[in-house]
Amino acid sequence: MEEKKPVIRVKDLYKVYKVGDTKVRALNGVSFDIYRGEFCAIVGASGSGKSTLLNMLAGLEKPTKGEIVIAGEHMETKSENALVAFRRNHIGFIFQSFNLLPTMTAVENIALPLTFQGMDKEKRTKLAKQAIKMVGLQKYSRHKPTQMSGGQQQRIGVARALVVNPEIIFADEPTGNLDSKTSEEIMGLMRKVVVENNQTLIMVTHDNHLAEYADRIFHIKDGKILKIEDKRLMRQTGT
């Protein structure tokens, strides 16, 4: 990869929790760079520190020590209000539990992040319709979540993450509630949109098979990154 600035830079990241008299190191000195247009998977067993790491990258938790620089801005020094504004303008989220509002149609659910940005209804509806087309569900624009399958609901979740045109998308076990065939479809979709839009996607998963869709896989255990696998090199060399 040619020399370019990382979109995410993590340096000497620690997160220590106190449980009674015991100190638990959820993250124990983590450092890495992620570049624009990359799909990275963070893989580890339950309790490995992967969700803590995702929460810190997204500015949902503060580190005990260390630096997190995203799009040139230090996350660890921002106030709560500044973090909220940063997330609203730069970041999309895909959740395991879909988090769709049952009273809203698919298009209204997709447009929700734009509502928080204060965009007028006509413009946000137009963008939401473009996003629903991107995930291939324009026929379901007026459907409520209960009228859609789990896989369709997650596609709407992907469209909602994309509608703000974020630089970075965070996905937390995005296929955890889906069967294996639907999971494969969602992973293929996520990979496609990231490549087409040159966005950066960071996904947390415990599933090594799904992680294979990523460009790089970060293996985490006991709060440390054990190794980083570069799948692009393997694909190029055919190994």
Side-chain angles (χ1 to χ4, degrees):
M1 189 178 288
E2 72 276 13
E3 190 58 37
K4 54 183 179 179
K5 285 179 93 165
V7 71
I8 296 177
R9 170 157 278 172
V10 172
K11 197 172 171 192
D12 282 336
L13 200 61
Y14 288 83
K15 181 66 176 181
V16 182
Y17 295 103
K18 283 196 89 164
V19 182
D21 295 333
T22 314
K23 283 186 175 179
V24 178
R25 290 177 182 267
L27 290 176
N28 196 7
V30 171
S31 300
F32 57 82
D33 291 344
I34 291 174
Y35 295 87
R36 186 170 179 85
E38 274 198 301
F39 177 179
C40 294
I42 301 168
V43 179
S46 181
S48 59
K50 62 184 188 299
S51 294
T52 303
L53 179 54
L54 191 79
N55 287 342
M56 297 225 188
L57 293 175
L60 299 169
E61 278 188 64
K62 291 270 190 196
T64 305
K65 199 175 107 183
E67 292 182 5
I68 304 167
V69 183
I70 298 184
E73 298 190 40
H74 277 266
M75 296 291 105
E76 77 280 1
T77 56
K78 282 186 183 294
S79 68
E80 196 50 49
N81 286 345
L83 284 169
V84 169
F86 185 87
R87 283 195 295 269
R88 197 164 50 212
N89 295 320
H90 296 272
I91 290 170
F93 288 97
I94 303 168
F95 303 96
Q96 178 177 340
S97 54
F98 318 141
N99 284 11
L100 302 180
L101 294 178
T103 56
M104 287 186 164
T105 65
V107 159
E108 287 167 344
N109 265 293
I110 293 167
L112 203 56
L114 301 173
T115 311
F116 296 140
Q117 287 185 357
M119 190 181 286
D120 69 72
K121 190 175 180 185
E122 191 179 339
K123 191 173 180 191
R124 67 179 186 251
T125 302
K126 183 184 172 192
L127 289 172
K129 284 180 175 173
Q130 288 171 1
I132 203 170
K133 195 173 177 185
M134 210 186 289
V135 299
L137 286 184
Q138 52 271 49
K139 293 199 306 233
Y140 295 85
S141 295
R142 300 177 69 83
H143 284 56
K144 302 269 176 72
T146 51
Q147 298 169 304
M148 293 184 281
S149 69
Q152 288 165 342
Q153 288 185 61
Q154 191 56 300
R155 280 175 179 260
I156 298 302
V158 172
R160 180 184 53 195
L162 294 172
V163 78
V164 294
N165 194 24
E167 287 167 75
I168 298 155
I169 300 159
F170 291 116
D172 191 1
E173 297 280 6
T175 62
N177 288 332
L178 304 173
D179 61 61
S180 56
K181 181 177 180 292
T182 311
S183 295
E184 300 272 349
E185 286 171 9
I186 293 292
M187 295 308 300
L189 170 69
M190 281 165 47
R191 180 159 183 84
K192 175 174 168 277
V193 294
V194 168
V195 168
E196 285 177 2
N197 300 330
N198 195 29
Q199 286 161 314
T200 305
L201 172 62
I202 293 114
M203 175 183 76
V204 158
T205 182
H206 66 279
D207 189 322
N208 286 310
H209 174 62
L210 294 179
E212 296 287 321
Y213 280 87
D215 298 315
R216 287 194 295 157
I217 305 174
F218 294 68
H219 293 268
I220 189 167
K221 185 181 180 184
D222 299 331
K224 282 183 175 290
I225 289 176
L226 298 182
K227 63 173 178 174
I228 300 174
E229 267 184 277
D230 196 326
K231 303 307 288 186
R232 290 163 305 189
L233 289 174
M234 292 180 186
R235 288 182 193 120
Q236 285 161 11
T237 56
T239 54

